[in-house]
Amino acid sequence: MFKRFLNPFNLFLKDFSGMASDGSIIVHKNTKNPTKAWTELSLKQTVDKGMPLKPDTPITEDKLRVVCISDTHSKIEIHPEIVPDGDILIHAGDFTNVGLANEVKTFNDFLGTMKHPVKIVIAGNHDLTFDDDMVKNGRENLKKMFGVSEKGFEQLLVKYGVQNVKELMTNCVYLEDAGIDVCGVYIYGSPWQPRFCDWGFNLDRGLECLKKWNLIPENTDILVTHGPPIGHGDMCFDGFRAGCVELLSTIQKRVKPKYHIFGHIHEGYGVTTDGHTTYINASTCTLRYKPDHEPIVFDFPIPEGHVKDELLKITPQRLIRS
């Protein structure tokens, strides 16, 4: 798949379906202008409103209760009561404001109080210090733009006895371009989004984003990204779209997951469906950074041959694609 993607002829075929003749995803001609791209794409798209499960619905042994949150920005720790019980807690990034080690430590401690047997977390653009390239090559920008001084950053790492902030994530499964099998359900997580100011995990629209989406395995049942696809939960307050065109093409044409969980665009909170995939913008914070959006809940049937007891065998770990 990846080798076919690199074929320049296939890459820019003007096929509105989002695929080349050999089945690889192509870059849309209007990918740099997502609002314009959606105007065209929406003519052949289904976007229906989805209905999240009521949090007080009884949990059963034949289904995994999944609780989704995102964009908590160091607010959820003082409101843990808003998170309902479940089997899997998924956080789609932006659990901090700028990725300071003390913010990460506080969030990790919060996760330790949650009773969900499995907690799965990805980073977002606000979790700056999780972006390895930014930490390695963007220290001046971290200090100038976000007040994360090198001295202060290093002192906190020493205080907590770690070499990088990811080591502080001891109460969850941290996914970065990686996935995990949970009771026969494959969950894949990726922190990237189309370039958004000077924040973390930024990629240019089109080819650079598509390279990351090409890493998503086709057996993915639940996809977790920080940013939304075009057309689902991506409408900004000013009326413009922020979603990624190639992410939607990858979801609909190749991977076809049952669920796609994301955040990033706070005002896009809610559930939609295209008839196959259910899209969940789980942003907890509103546009004004108030944690007023309720976690979104759904049940996923446990595949034949698996049982819920397998949850207890999954330990906190950091899965990062090298």
Side-chain angles (χ1 to χ4, degrees), residues 158-212:
V158 171
K159 175 182 177 180
Y160 295 122
V162 297
Q163 294 184 335
N164 65 72
V165 291
K166 295 174 189 178
E167 294 178 34
L168 294 171
M169 303 291 276
T170 60
N171 290 322
C172 66
V173 176
Y174 173 75
L175 298 179
E176 188 174 306
D177 296 322
I180 187 170
D181 185 298
V182 180
C183 300
V185 178
Y186 192 76
I187 304 173
Y188 185 91
S190 180
W192 307 94
Q193 79 277 311
R195 188 165 300 282
F196 185 77
C197 300
D198 294 315
W199 293 89
F201 295 103
N202 273 337
L203 293 171
D204 290 336
R205 289 184 177 275
L207 175 59
E208 292 306 309
C209 284
L210 183 53
K211 287 179 180 179
K212 292 297 183 181

Side-chain angles (χ1 to χ4, degrees), residues 115-118 182-183 307-316:
K115 297 180 180 179
H116 310 75
V118 175
V182 180
C183 300
V307 294
K308 192 172 284 191
D309 286 347
E310 295 171 33
L311 291 168
L312 303 177
K313 299 178 182 179
I314 299 176
T315 59

Side-chain angles (χ1 to χ4, degrees), residues 1 10 22 26 73 84 86 97 103 153 182 249 266 306:
M1 177 63 70
N10 289 334
D22 64 357
I26 61 174
H73 295 286
N97 289 309
E103 292 181 302
F153 178 64
V182 180
S249 294
H266 297 188
H306 294 271

